[in-house]
Amino acid sequence: MNKVVKQKQIGCLILCCMLFVCDGALRAQTFDRSVKTASNFEAAIPHPDQQKHAAEKLKQLHAKTGQRPNIVWIVVDDMGYGDPGCYGGGIAIGAATPNMNALARGGLRLTSCYSQQTCTPTRSAILTGRLPVRTGLIRPILAGDKITRNPWADEVSLAKLLSDSGYHSVLTGKWHIGEGEGLRPHDVGFDEFYGYYPAQKEISQRFDERRYPDLVLNEDLLAAFELIGPGVDLVHGFAGGKTETVSSIESTADMGNADQALADFSVAKIQEMAAQGKPFFMEHCFMKVHADNFPNSKLKGSSAAKYYYKEAVAEVDLHIGSIVGALTDAGILDNTFIFVTSDNGPQMDSWPDSGYTPFRGAKGTTFEGGVRVPGIAYWKDMIQPGRQSDGLFDLMDLFGTALTLAGVSRDSLPSKKYYDFVDQTSFLLHDQGESNREAVYFWWDAELTACRMREYKLHVKVLLPQTPNLQIDMATLQTTGLAPWLFNLYIDPKEQTTVGHRRNAWLASVGAKLKAHAATFKLHPAKRIGLDY
Ligand code: CA
């Protein structure tokens, strides 16, 4: 081919590509309603009237109670989107959830509420307002892991911010963000911790000879495991004070009763804190319904299905009722913001000891099944009963919302860190509130995989299980082909048929959002703490 002609052809191709990119970027601006107010904060959709209304509502409540509101987060471990009755499960799948249903009926049921795809990432993200890849907590810290630096050393937790502002901050239940000194809840901002450091499975595998005979019945292996295995103790720790062992789990029967003791503690603690007249932040993290589930000896047969997982769902629901009951009995329900959720989708690898999601994928993937979770916001007389919204809500938004409710200024946050939360106070409190979040970004390990904007979700990388239920233990990460996978979740909630490259406007728009998100890491590099594979 003539050299000049070839150069012209290459020139034309580059120009066409530039025009497409420019065109895409311009159109992206028209799709994107969010506005950045600071370079280190996630952009939010402005709703000035909604915001004014919410601020006035909070002011009136404060005038009535004379105290800042209490904040209670209830986090169920690995509960599926489809498990609670108010999300289509409940009685229909063998485990009634009357208490979660009542909260949903009395408040706001979110249908596009997102977690990270596993435990540690979600739990750390909601307490820091930052994506796991920014804090280094990109996956669960497991037996034998050696982290290279303390991820909390330069992070400021919500528990600390609230405690510094006069709240009593307490975490009950599962922690799962490290158990060495400097990593424990009462080292990183909680005034008080009453719970266990690891997940149920990491404790029960020492005792469950039916599921783990090769470990439990082999003395040498068990001894080796004990050297690196996480703790089995119920710990009561105080910031700057003592850390006591209350009891230890020594059998699967003990494991089954763990959540009863945790619920009893939270109920008593609520009574105590209400009597002290100081605002409080309580994060109650259930051990259940994460595998391996064992029955509460007092509650056997409380679900129609009778399977241990279903018994666990029914039990968790019962305890949620007790916690709400304690707030009611203490006369502080109208001054307490309650949020009920799950830290990720169901863990299908442990089926049938696992939950239900109507969506594609499960825990460990960034398809909807792994990250779309129940989200119930309840606040008597403050959140309009019976509301439902598909507005985007990332569980990290609880961080920014809690700051606003407690009257803690963003100026308290380190100015050199990037924050991914969006303050959703006005979305929750306005009777017809709309979400302030324009996009949700999905990460797996240190890989940016997908982005949702309105009803569209674009994947650039996907986790594909090589056998149906092993979405963690036998899944491979793959980069999508020439066109990213773009699903319209309104017509394709199971993410089965991409609308493909003919939707260039949306590809460009969501793609531009994803690229802008990736660009934030140039100024604010990801943190590594030794959890990369
Ligand atoms: Ca979990």
Side-chain angles (χ1 to χ4, degrees):
M1 187 188 293
N2 180 298
K3 194 178 174 184
V4 176
V5 172
K6 191 176 179 185
Q7 279 177 340
K8 276 185 182 173
Q9 283 182 340
I10 292 171
C12 277
L13 186 63
I14 291 171
L15 183 62
C16 286
C17 288
M18 285 174 66
L19 282 173
F20 175 78
V21 169
C22 290
D23 187 33
L26 283 174
R27 277 184 286 161
Q29 288 173 9
T30 64
F31 283 117
D32 187 353
R33 302 160 294 183
S34 64
V35 175
K36 254 193 182 303
T37 52
S39 62
N40 65 325
F41 283 97
E42 174 66 13
I45 304 171
H47 290 112
D49 292 344
Q50 183 175 295
Q51 196 175 348
K52 197 175 155 194
H53 175 88
E56 185 57 35
K57 218 169 176 176
L58 284 171
K59 199 174 151 191
Q60 284 175 12
L61 180 71
H62 191 265
K64 189 175 101 179
T65 64
Q67 194 179 75
R68 290 177 293 165
N70 308 303
I71 298 163
V72 175
W73 294 353
I74 298 174
V75 182
V76 188
D77 199 358
D78 287 12
M79 180 171 71
Y81 180 95
D83 282 331
C86 47
Y87 285 84
I91 290 172
I93 56 171
T97 58
N99 293 296
M100 282 188 264
N101 301 355
L103 287 176
R105 272 198 312 275
L108 168 61
R109 183 165 64 94
L110 298 168
T111 58
S112 290
C113 177
Y114 288 97
S115 65
Q116 305 298 314
Q117 38 81 28
T118 49
C119 315
T120 304
T122 296
R123 289 159 193 272
S124 55
I126 60 178
L127 285 170
T128 59
R130 285 155 50 74
L131 276 164
V133 71
R134 300 193 198 276
T135 63
L137 290 155
I138 54 176
R139 67 166 175 83
I141 301 171
L142 299 171
D145 273 334
K146 295 262 186 297
I147 57 171
T148 53
R149 61 187 277 205
N150 182 346
W152 290 103
D154 59 342
E155 299 293 340
V156 184
S157 75
L158 176 70
K160 181 170 191 332
L161 290 160
L162 295 184
S163 179
D164 287 351
S165 85
Y167 274 65
H168 185 73
S169 57
V170 54
L171 186 134
T172 309
K174 179 186 166 181
W175 172 237
H176 215 186
I177 317 181
E179 58 184 82
E181 209 167 320
L183 293 165
R184 306 167 303 184
H186 48 298
D187 295 329
V188 305
F190 281 99
D191 294 313
E192 192 173 352
F193 168 59
Y194 187 89
Y196 298 90
Y197 296 120
Q200 288 204 119
K201 182 182 62 181
E202 292 175 80
I203 298 176
S204 65
Q205 62 186 321
R206 289 170 159 98
F207 314 111
D208 186 1
E209 65 177 54
R210 179 177 169 133
R211 188 166 180 203
Y212 309 102
D214 50 337
L215 177 63
V216 178
L217 303 178
N218 185 326
E219 281 184 20
D220 292 346
L221 272 184
L222 193 58
F225 176 80
E226 292 293 352
L227 292 175
I228 59 168
V232 297
D233 299 334
L234 174 59
V235 171
H236 198 182
F238 298 86
K242 58 187 178 181
T243 302
E244 295 176 326
T245 297
V246 179
S247 60
S248 300
I249 291 181
E250 294 172 352
S251 66
T252 55
D254 288 347
M255 189 78 262
N257 290 329
D259 269 304
Q260 182 67 58
L262 297 173
D264 291 346
F265 173 83
S266 280
V267 165
K269 196 75 208 172
I270 286 168
Q271 291 163 349
E272 180 191 319
M273 292 188 295
Q276 286 170 348
K278 188 179 174 183
F280 60 84
F281 166 49
M282 172 178 271
E283 184 180 1
H284 184 99
C285 296
F286 286 100
M287 299 297 286
K288 287 171 176 166
V289 292
H290 188 300
D292 302 310
N293 288 294
F294 299 96
N296 178 330
S297 56
K298 291 181 184 167
L299 299 173
K300 275 186 180 172
S302 53
S303 72
K306 307 289 187 271
Y307 273 74
Y308 283 2
Y309 181 84
K310 301 294 185 177
E311 293 286 292
V313 171
E315 182 188 348
V316 158
D317 186 76
L318 188 74
H319 295 323
I320 291 173
S322 300
I323 290 169
V324 177
L327 294 165
T328 308
D329 293 346
I332 53 174
L333 191 64
D334 60 348
N335 201 29
T336 303
F337 168 63
I338 302 172
F339 197 91
V340 181
T341 192
S342 174
D343 66 338
N344 48 251
Q347 182 181 195
M348 294 312 293
D349 294 61
S350 54
W351 191 90
D353 194 4
S354 62
Y356 173 68
T357 178
F359 302 114
R360 178 176 183 171
K363 176 182 180 182
T365 82
T366 50
F367 285 113
E368 295 287 288
V371 290
R372 205 196 290 204
V373 291
I376 303 168
Y378 177 89
W379 195 346
K380 186 174 180 289
D381 301 331
M382 288 293 282
I383 294 177
Q384 175 80 8
R387 279 181 66 202
Q388 177 181 330
S389 174
D390 77 327
L392 297 186
F393 192 96
D394 190 307
L395 288 181
M396 283 187 293
D397 299 345
L398 288 170
F399 179 97
T401 304
L403 288 184
T404 299
L405 297 183
V408 176
S409 165
R410 284 187 181 191
D411 296 340
S412 310
L413 303 174
S415 60
K416 290 184 178 169
K417 292 209 177 296
Y418 192 92
Y419 281 89
D420 299 281
F421 70 81
V422 166
D423 177 8
Q424 297 276 29
T425 308
S426 69
F427 171 35
L428 302 181
L429 297 191
H430 191 284
D431 290 353
Q432 291 87 39
E434 292 180 3
S435 173
N436 300 316
R437 176 174 281 280
E438 185 66 300
V440 178
Y441 310 99
F442 302 95
W443 289 75
W444 181 90
D445 205 75
E447 304 281 348
L448 177 57
T449 60
C451 174
R452 177 173 171 186
M453 212 171 155
R454 304 195 197 191
E455 69 267 39
Y456 288 89
K457 186 168 170 192
L458 177 143
H459 297 258
V460 289
K461 291 184 179 175
V462 285
L463 268 299
L464 299 178
Q466 301 304 302
T467 190
N469 275 349
L470 299 186
Q471 309 249 357
I472 296 173
D473 290 335
M474 204 187 283
T476 49
L477 179 71
Q478 293 184 21
T479 303
T480 55
L482 187 59
W485 294 6
L486 180 69
F487 300 104
N488 178 333
L489 296 175
Y490 280 168
I491 61 168
D492 184 15
K494 285 183 185 291
E495 299 172 282
Q496 289 174 318
T497 309
T498 171
V499 296
H501 66 282
R502 55 195 185 279
R503 293 296 184 92
N504 275 335
W506 271 111
L507 276 175
S509 188
V510 189
K513 198 74 177 156
L514 186 134
K515 282 178 190 167
H517 173 69
T520 64
F521 289 84
K522 286 177 189 162
L523 266 181
H524 304 276
K527 193 175 8 171
R528 295 280 191 270
I529 63 164
L531 290 179
D532 303 60
Y533 286 111

